Amino acid sequence: MVEKKVYKKENSSEVVVITGAAGVLCSVIARDFVRCGKKVALVDVNEASTLALEKELSQLGTVKSYIASVLDKESLIIAQENITKDFGVCDILINGAGGNNVHATTSDEIFDPNLESDKDFFKLLESGVDFVFDLNFKGAFLTTQVFSKQMALRGSGSIINISSMNAYQPLTKIPAYSAAKAAISNFTQWLAVYFAKAKLRVNAIAPGFFATNQNKTLLFNPDGSLTPRSLKIISKTPMNRFGEPSELLGAIRFLTDDSQSSFITGIVIPIDGGFSAYSGV
Ligand SMILES: NC(=O)c1ccc[n+]([C@@H]2O[C@H](COP(=O)([O-])OP(=O)(O)OC[C@H]3O[C@@H](n4cnc5c(N)ncnc54)[C@H](O)[C@@H]3O)[C@@H](O)[C@H]2O)c1
């Protein structure tokens, strides 16, 4: 049964919904959208950091917090209803919530039969793998289910997923995160096809390496110096450095702006200082 309700695009500024909004990367994305005059809904499970971000960004424009978990569909539905009441139907959805888990991370890069490891592949916990798949894949799936229907019925809008370098080639140690991000790139294409006739575009960005909360223990020693893994990353990044979160903004603006990218859907843009282009040799 096709729902008859039609949601008209409003003339006022666009409504942006960002999950994981209080995180290092998405808070920068949120700030940029607020500065551009859009109405920004910050959706995150961390109440304290989301309210602090709301307070800061409200000096710049229209922004409001909605405490919800991307793993809890009921909480997303409540957030979606409140956002629609406060701001109107979502125009731009950023599926930003994501992250890894120590119980899904091996201590060694390669199996060595002569070494006994406390956290080799065989000892990874099912609960850790579930956590990582749920947060990175199912979280984007459920959020898109909840927010995209009104967008598709109205016949406009843009969804951005956040993939990763791991989607192209898995990084050592993090098999679940790598597979979940590969699933996100795949899901981006699936959604792009599904919503194409509804003029709802779905694309993704694949950030390279940005120093954030999620990866700080992998990238930095307790004294702040670079870990051996960081040194490897930098040596495989032709630009020879980590990215700055603000370097994501050009691609996000481009992909979410119909006047710039109206015929682009189903792509994943790497923002990686050349990491994905370089074989290392
Ligand atoms: N940092 C990097 O180098 C990098 C590289 C590639 C991709 N990414 C991806 O970019 C996105 C943002 O990463 P980040 O580094 O800014 O992470 P971050 O850890 O700084 O922020 C993640 C945010 O998500 C929120 N969150 C966690 N679980 C949630 C849930 N169930 N519901 C709602 N919100 C939840 C957290 O509270 C936090 O505010 C993630 O999808 C991540 O996988 C990051």
Side-chain angles (χ1 to χ4, degrees), residues 19-26 43-46 49 68-71 95-99 131 135-136 162-165 177 181 206-215:
T19 70
V24 177
L25 300 185
C26 286
V43 179
D44 201 292
V45 80
N46 184 329
S49 52
S69 169
V70 295
L71 302 179
N95 280 317
F131 175 88
L135 180 55
N136 292 282
I162 308 200
S163 184
S164 160
M165 287 301 105
Y177 183 73
K181 287 301 187 186
F209 296 86
F210 295 72
T212 65
N213 287 339
Q214 173 197 323
N215 57 20

Side-chain angles (χ1 to χ4, degrees), residues 89-107:
V89 173
C90 175
D91 294 290
I92 296 170
L93 171 64
I94 311 285
N95 280 317
N100 194 22
N101 185 274
V102 284
H103 300 301
T105 304
T106 64
S107 43

Side-chain angles (χ1 to χ4, degrees), residues 43-55:
V43 179
D44 201 292
V45 80
N46 184 329
E47 185 166 2
S49 52
T50 311
L51 292 175
L53 183 67
E54 178 191 328
K55 194 170 171 201

Side-chain angles (χ1 to χ4, degrees), residues 169-200:
Q169 265 188 330
L171 260 63
T172 56
K173 296 188 174 183
I174 49 175
Y177 183 73
S178 298
K181 287 301 187 186
I184 281 294
S185 290
N186 185 286
F187 183 48
T188 300
Q189 293 178 313
W190 190 90
L191 286 171
V193 173
Y194 188 70
F195 286 129
K197 278 192 187 161
K199 297 184 187 138
L200 171 51

Side-chain angles (χ1 to χ4, degrees), residues 111-117:
F111 175 64
D112 182 343
N114 299 314
L115 282 182
E116 180 62 29
S117 165

